[in-house]
Amino acid sequence: MTSPAPSTMPSFEQLGLPDSLLSMLSEVGYEIPSPIQAACIPYLLAGRDLLGEAQTGTGKTAAFALPTLAKLDLSNMRPQVLVLTPTRELALQVSEAFTKYAHHLQNFHVLPIYGGQSMVVQLRQLSRGAQVIVGTPGRIMDHLERKSLKLDALTMLVLDEADEMLRMGFIDDVEWILEHTPSTRQTALFSATMPATIREVARRHLREPEEVRIRTATSTVEKIRQRYWLVRGVDKLDALTRILDAEEKLDAALVFVRTKIGTEELADKLAARGYAAAALNGDMTQSLRERVIEQLKNGSLDIVIATDVAARGIDVPRISHVINYDIPYDTEAYVHRIGRTGRAGREGVAILFVAPRERRMLKSIEHATRQQIEPIALPSREDVSSLRVSQFKQKVLDTLADPDMELGFFMSVVEELVEENDLSSRELAAALAYLVQAGRPLQIEEEGRGWDQATALHTQGKPLREDIFTTGAPRSRTGRRDANAIPAKVFDNGKVQRYWIAVGRDHGVMPKDIVGAIINESGIEGRSIGQIDLFDDFSTVELPAQLPDDLLNVLRGVVVRSQRLNIRPVRDDENLPVRRPQNRDDPRRDKKPSKPWEKKSGEKRFARSGDFRPPRRDDARQSERRSFADKGKVSGWKKRRGHE
Ligand code: ADP
Ligand code: MG
């Protein structure tokens, strides 16, 4: 279905929700259902299976949580609803949403279950019981196998962000779970996109599902003002701080970089310049990550620098700005990123740093979001200085005006200083002002090459240097940090190669650990990672052939399960056998195609990255394909790119 206009949207009441939920909805301020909610709630209340396709930020959580809550048997503490999410953050977010929506329901219990959390705690919580379990696939499987989680009373199973679960390599786990739950259950699958593999999962495990598809590619980003800055003449860090200083209505900013190391580096640099900034990445412990998000929510942090994976699904309404410090590798990632702002009906701003040679990606993004992205000029040094000065003056005046400030003691210190040293109060105040601004100078120094000179050259269209400071990106052969060090041609030829890595079963590694580390540290896309074979003390992984040395160097140092990967190509004479993970009693494990991208169409086999296709670095070609798909000429594409 397509989205009805808001004026024709039914009310929550008309959707058939009970009073206990209606009163909660008016308390939390949801006036009307979002399109996906209006479409899904009646089906789910009626017990139908459902396949729901809608972008992030469209209100999918309430679309399944509300009808679920309406149907729960609250006198029974056995799990009746299981929600699977790709990440711990999402599991927590979804269970928080359940708690919020169940505000008026007595004896309601929801339990988030995810890897990384103490087993002992989880076992205790599970034995106490909960009607709704929200978890990540791996840990849910663990508990099902240990029989610490019993799902025989399960009436409803929800797969949230199914495409992300696929991207992260969890789809086999998800299917295993589907096979180990009562076949009488109701099933709802939600996804921002509908790749063929997800459709196949739906075909196998859903019963005559109702299909709901909300075309919101444009409306999700409607509330987001998209702009870009062409990286030229000024280094990116400098540009970032100017933007952070000069942007109007900046409340909190989420800054995206490509690597985990990059998040730390940039957070440190910003913190050193006086910003309340912190990193968010997959290396941090769960509790640390939660703390960062909490601090961002409560305002003790203003800037969080994150990787795509770590920031997935974050819902912090005060994020007013998303800054794409490193350009994303594909348009989908971009849409996910900017969806972190413009939440809960607010307006958001997305700013993209684009190096000249990345302009084609910019075009693809414009095409995908069906919006023009406006170029911005960076504020000049003077602009930023005068802004800082006026903010500083205001802060001083605010302090004087604040009745809670006890300035008496400081008055006496100042008087002593003046008398003992024969100073004028002007001199003294100036010295104090100097001390206060330290770390974040009111007057911005010229840094290396002068700002104005850079600006001047920029306006004349002469490139100075590009891509300086692309945080954490691999170094190119010239030793310069280079965002595009993975040359397009390597990925374009679609060839793959088997690589050896120094971590294996004995280290307790799972394929998804390897996938996660490679995605996070190298920026290689999940879909470019082919088959993984686990051996006792090493593994092999299929990646694009002839990865550049710079990238191999980065990967060599990556640590998984305390092992440096020490990656190298497998030599022809090594004759390594194939050892697919067999630990789950899933018959498909034996049947995997050794090269998922050679999978014939219609073949129903599941590779780890089931919808593999060679990454599309050639964006021009990509947009060409898209425009065909848009006209409905290439139906396969149309299906795949269904979110557009
Ligand atoms: P999705 O899962 O589709 O990404 P979420 O369920 O996380 O979206 O919802 C996005 C935001 O919209 C949340 O802040 C949520 O509280 C808010 N929201 C959801 N439904 C409504 C509604 N009917 N009216 C107003 N805000 C809503
Ligand atoms: Mg969601």
Side-chain angles (χ1 to χ4, degrees):
M1 66 162 273
T2 46
S3 347
S7 54
T8 63
M9 196 67 73
S11 65
F12 281 114
E13 233 158 339
Q14 285 167 320
L15 296 180
L17 291 170
D19 289 343
S20 54
L21 293 178
L22 294 175
S23 53
M24 171 280 302
L25 286 166
S26 69
E27 283 160 29
V28 300
Y30 290 7
E31 285 170 336
I32 51 159
S34 71
I36 187 103
Q37 291 161 5
C40 296
I41 290 174
Y43 289 141
L44 291 177
L45 284 174
R48 299 296 310 264
D49 278 7
L50 186 111
L51 192 58
E53 180 180 349
Q55 273 299 347
T56 40
T58 50
K60 291 191 286 294
T61 317
F64 61 79
L66 296 176
T68 298
L69 287 170
K71 297 190 351 169
L72 277 184
D73 174 4
L74 292 167
S75 63
N76 183 346
M77 285 293 276
R78 291 159 77 197
Q80 297 158 49
V81 178
L82 173 65
V83 182
L84 294 178
T85 65
T87 65
R88 296 180 268 200
E89 280 75 16
L90 284 174
L92 285 167
Q93 234 171 63
V94 169
S95 52
E96 275 167 25
F98 265 101
T99 307
K100 181 165 88 178
Y101 300 148
H103 189 67
H104 293 307
L105 303 183
Q106 300 292 317
N107 195 38
F108 170 76
H109 295 275
V110 57
L111 187 57
I113 292 283
Y114 45 81
Q117 195 190 26
S118 141
M119 251 318 181
V120 180
V121 172
Q122 277 177 5
L123 291 171
R124 196 182 322 126
Q125 290 172 328
L126 280 167
S127 69
R128 277 198 217 115
Q131 293 97 356
V132 177
I133 308 283
V134 185
T136 50
R139 191 53 75 95
I140 294 288
M141 270 175 93
D142 283 353
H143 283 291
L144 286 174
E145 285 184 328
R146 287 168 173 246
K147 308 239 183 300
S148 42
L149 173 61
K150 295 201 192 69
L151 296 179
D152 24 294
L154 194 81
T155 54
M156 169 85 165
L157 198 151
V158 179
L159 308 180
D160 194 16
E161 310 232 0
D163 54 349
E164 278 315 320
M165 294 202 268
L166 173 70
R167 253 169 95 107
M168 295 176 74
F170 292 144
I171 210 68
D172 287 352
D173 294 358
V174 169
E175 287 218 288
W176 187 93
I177 294 168
L178 279 161
E179 282 154 15
H180 288 77
T181 50
S183 57
T184 50
R185 57 155 211 268
Q186 183 183 5
T187 313
L189 184 158
F190 289 93
S191 200
T193 58
M194 255 333 139
T197 312
I198 296 294
R199 281 206 168 267
E200 186 52 27
V201 170
R203 197 189 63 75
R204 293 150 52 92
H205 298 280
L206 272 58
R207 276 168 310 166
E208 296 168 25
E210 292 290 347
E211 289 198 28
V212 170
R213 181 172 170 192
I214 306 294
R215 301 178 149 275
T216 41
T218 43
S219 62
T220 31
V221 297
E222 244 161 39
K223 292 174 302 183
I224 302 170
R225 186 160 170 230
Q226 298 181 72
R227 296 181 294 163
Y228 76 92
W229 173 61
L230 195 61
V231 180
R232 253 184 195 180
V234 179
D235 72 44
K236 296 209 297 189
L237 177 64
D238 217 19
L240 177 63
T241 59
R242 280 157 210 270
I243 287 171
L244 292 174
D245 284 345
E247 269 296 290
E248 278 171 41
K249 299 193 191 146
L250 190 144
D251 190 357
L254 187 60
V255 180
F256 282 95
V257 299
R258 281 183 180 164
T259 63
K260 289 194 263 192
I261 305 164
T263 62
E264 306 279 351
E265 284 178 3
L266 190 56
D268 288 350
K269 284 178 185 146
L270 288 175
R273 291 177 180 218
Y275 298 91
L280 184 72
N281 65 48
D283 273 354
M284 293 158 55
T285 62
Q286 177 60 16
S287 62
L288 203 57
R289 279 192 278 173
E290 278 160 35
R291 200 163 81 211
V292 167
I293 293 172
E294 189 47 45
Q295 286 177 329
L296 187 66
K297 273 189 185 152
N298 71 25
S300 40
L301 277 175
D302 293 328
I303 300 160
V304 165
I305 298 96
T307 53
D308 290 290
V309 174
R312 185 161 294 148
I314 288 181
D315 183 19
V316 178
R318 70 178 279 261
I319 296 174
S320 57
H321 285 61
V322 164
I323 299 177
N324 295 276
Y325 191 82
D326 293 338
I327 199 165
Y329 282 120
D330 58 24
T331 56
E332 265 167 53
Y334 177 81
V335 173
H336 277 289
R337 284 178 176 191
I338 71 170
R340 302 305 109 220
T341 181
R343 307 292 284 183
R346 301 188 195 197
E347 282 179 12
V349 174
I351 296 176
L352 175 65
F353 286 8
V354 186
R357 80 175 83 119
E358 293 162 347
R359 269 187 275 196
R360 272 205 285 183
M361 179 52 97
L362 175 67
K363 289 284 161 240
S364 302
I365 291 172
E366 286 186 326
H367 185 81
T369 59
R370 308 214 170 137
Q371 278 197 13
Q372 279 255 308
I373 305 184
E374 320 151 37
I376 47 168
L378 282 185
S380 72
R381 203 175 66 226
E382 287 75 19
D383 290 345
V384 174
S385 290
S386 70
L387 217 109
R388 286 190 186 175
V389 168
S390 64
Q391 284 168 350
F392 174 74
K393 287 179 185 163
Q394 193 55 49
K395 219 159 125 186
V396 173
L397 294 176
D398 288 350
T399 308
L400 288 171
D402 186 344
D404 292 339
M405 291 287 174
E406 310 250 335
L407 294 178
F409 168 74
F410 298 98
M411 293 277 201
S412 63
V413 175
V414 167
E415 270 158 25
E416 275 172 38
L417 259 170
V418 167
E419 275 162 26
E420 287 165 9
N421 300 289
D422 193 20
L423 294 170
S424 77
S425 36
R426 267 178 75 194
E427 283 168 312
L428 179 65
L432 292 176
Y434 177 83
L435 290 177
V436 168
Q437 53 114 54
R440 213 173 157 208
L442 299 176
Q443 270 182 311
I444 301 171
E445 303 271 313
E446 306 227 344
E447 298 176 41
R449 174 180 15 83
W451 165 258
D452 298 315
Q453 182 201 354
T455 316
L457 284 171
H458 178 191
T459 49
Q460 286 161 25
K462 285 184 202 153
L464 277 172
R465 42 176 191 168
E466 301 163 0
D467 293 347
I468 309 154
F469 260 105
T470 302
T471 314
R475 280 173 199 280
S476 71
R477 267 174 206 91
T478 55
R480 205 175 54 162
R481 281 197 183 274
D482 185 342
N484 271 355
I486 308 164
K489 63 176 165 26
V490 171
F491 282 168
D492 259 348
N493 67 18
K495 291 220 181 86
V496 290
Q497 190 174 356
R498 215 168 159 197
Y499 291 81
W500 181 98
I501 52 177
V503 57
R505 283 216 182 97
D506 290 351
H507 309 113
V509 78
M510 305 265 281
K512 63 187 171 230
D513 304 329
I514 298 172
V515 174
I518 293 176
I519 293 177
N520 265 336
E521 295 299 347
S522 69
I524 291 178
E525 288 170 289
R527 58 168 74 102
S528 307
I529 304 172
Q531 192 59 56
I532 293 174
D533 292 319
L534 301 184
F535 297 84
D536 289 344
D537 57 352
F538 69 94
S539 306
T540 62
V541 51
E542 285 171 335
L543 295 172
Q546 290 156 19
L547 286 177
D549 290 345
D550 330 323
L551 192 56
L552 280 178
N553 277 335
V554 171
L555 282 173
R556 223 163 267 145
V558 169
V559 176
V560 177
R561 302 262 156 180
S562 314
Q563 305 299 312
R564 274 170 58 96
L565 288 187
N566 278 331
I567 192 165
R568 61 166 175 78
V570 170
R571 291 185 308 271
D572 288 343
D573 60 4
E574 281 178 281
N575 288 324
L576 290 177
V578 160
R579 277 219 209 152
R580 307 285 126 96
Q582 297 282 355
N583 51 337
R584 312 289 181 200
D585 48 344
D586 181 342
R588 281 181 329 259
R589 302 236 176 220
D590 305 320
K591 288 193 261 155
K592 280 179 189 165
S594 60
K595 291 197 168 59
W597 46 94
E598 286 176 7
K599 194 171 58 166
K600 313 229 166 27
S601 61
E603 209 174 336
K604 292 178 198 76
R605 290 193 293 189
F606 287 80
R608 198 205 47 72
S609 46
D611 66 340
F612 180 92
R613 58 182 184 272
R616 300 147 291 146
R617 301 288 299 176
D618 185 343
D619 304 316
R621 208 178 57 200
Q622 180 190 349
S623 46
E624 206 175 283
R625 283 208 206 129
R626 272 166 199 252
S627 59
F628 274 128
D630 291 341
K631 291 180 195 117
K633 286 179 185 159
V634 184
S635 55
W637 264 85
K638 194 168 192 183
K639 266 191 216 145
R640 275 190 171 162
R641 320 299 305 174
H643 65 293
E644 283 168 42

